[in-house]
Amino acid sequence: MERKVTWETYDAEQLEKLEKLNLEYRNFLDNGKTERECIDTIVNTIETEGYQELESLIKEGKKLAAGDKVYSVCMNKSIVMFRIGEKPMAEGMNILGAHIDSPRIDVKQNPLYEEGGFAYLDTHYYGGVKKYQWVALPLALHGVVVKKDGTTIEMNIGENEDDPVFFVSDLLIHLAGEQMEKKASKVIEGEALDLIIGSKPIKFAAEEEQDKDKDKEQAKEAIKAGILDILKETYDMEEEDFLSAELEIVPAGKTREAGFDRSLLLGYGQDDRVCAFTSMRAMLDVEKIEKTLCCILVDKEEIGSVGATGMHSRFFENAVAEVMNLTGEYSELNVRRCLARSAMLSSDVSAGFDPSYASCFEKKNAAFVGKGMVFNKFTGSRGKSGSNDANAEYIAYLRKLLDEKGIVYQTAELGKVDVGGGGTIAYILAEYGMNVIDSGVAVLNMHAPWEATSKADVYETYRGYMVFAEGAGM
Ligand code: MN
Ligand code: MN
């Protein structure tokens, strides 16, 4: 079975729409490099399109009816949006889902130290990373510091041209004989990923009456003291405030077009903000819906969908119950019916076929960059362990929907059998007894600091989500 090359199916008008969507996507990536920033970007976008906060509607005792748009945010890191359809919610929803966390390096809770003429932040990486990819490149620091009085300091350093950046050092090649013999997983160890944040000692006032010993004591860590001085001056924060901070280290810089033909995008965090963006945009742009449309964009996928903001949290189920309460449909049974009768596209990036590493893929069942929206009947590893398995009946339903509207799509497995594998949030929603399939966009160098996607796939996946959103359901 040959699949189409998406680019070849577009006329001039579609190419124009494609470029417009991708420009918006690039801004989305650049403005949301952490899950918190991503939520801010999404809320700003959807509020201009008439979405109202669920919690304030509850407080005001408002009711919801067909056409109403509502959203709920969980701890600034996950969001669920609903667009109420003509049909009762108990008949099920069409659900788009994706995740907005990405692999990165986190700052530890007691991070600041000085060593050998440098001030450092000690770190602990988040998600599956090839640690050697994160050294010797410009890094930015994003996140929040929450002080005891409840004030939140937002940090975003390294993205503007005149901002400083940070970096993790690597050993010079001249002395790396022993290092180069090591396995790739050991070349750079987790504890070696500490971030260099300064090297200039503070000057202490050498007043006559000052205690000389104390002066010497302070001078021992004069570089660290210099950093603390800057943090105090700029952010009014003390060293202790790192205890209640969430600081994330990400590649510095914007998403770029790649290739002479500008057909690709090279950017940080496309796993899985590419599916989050296209799902959100499709939800906003789709015109007529019969069933209630839901979009859930969650945190913590990269570490197992755990915690209050991960997909395993009751947050989503609670929001469904609250929304049904406002539509006047709430009962325990109706919530269960709604969830069980829903259909979901659980989206995440797929491993794009990489000709340089062809032996890791089975070509007939690989996802190709530029060949449209990807569906994975199952994910998992080895004997499909940990997989969601989408039903053949559901796949047939989707084929009909997409073929009728001329959407270019492909089916794939994540690499060759027994080479590796992976999973996403599909199996968690499937626990409600609903139809779920893994879908999304093919990516090259997934989980690297800079990941690549095809602009055509971004556009085609967005179109596919719109067609799904209009569907009558199973
Ligand atoms: Mn992912
Ligand atoms: Mn991932």
Side-chain angles (χ1 to χ4, degrees), residues 392-433:
E393 290 84 350
Y394 183 42
I395 300 176
Y397 161 76
L398 293 170
R399 282 176 60 204
K400 183 162 187 288
L401 270 187
L402 299 172
D403 283 341
E404 275 174 3
K405 292 284 166 70
I407 303 296
V408 179
Y409 63 89
Q410 51 187 330
T411 57
E413 292 197 9
L414 188 71
K416 230 181 207 176
V417 175
D418 285 338
V419 166
T424 171
I425 61 171
Y427 75 98
I428 307 166
L429 278 299
E431 284 172 7
Y432 291 113

Side-chain angles (χ1 to χ4, degrees), residues 203-219:
K203 276 209 176 117
F204 294 105
E207 286 166 36
E208 296 291 328
E209 66 271 30
Q210 206 171 325
D211 181 342
K212 286 269 167 59
D213 285 345
K214 196 183 159 210
D215 211 26
K216 264 191 204 157
E217 183 72 18
Q218 284 177 319

Side-chain angles (χ1 to χ4, degrees), residues 7 19 22 257-265 453-456:
W7 288 106
E19 292 296 346
N22 276 281
E257 291 176 303
F260 278 116
D261 56 10
R262 298 172 183 263
S263 58
L264 303 163
L265 292 178
T453 55
S454 161
K455 283 181 182 175

Side-chain angles (χ1 to χ4, degrees), residues 99 271-272 301-302 348-349 424 446-447:
H99 70 90
D271 173 7
D272 182 34
E301 192 273 350
E302 297 296 356
D348 204 346
V349 291
T424 171
M446 192 194 296
H447 282 211

Side-chain angles (χ1 to χ4, degrees), residues 301-312:
E301 192 273 350
E302 297 296 356
I303 58 166
S305 299
V306 291
T309 57
M311 196 62 244
H312 279 297

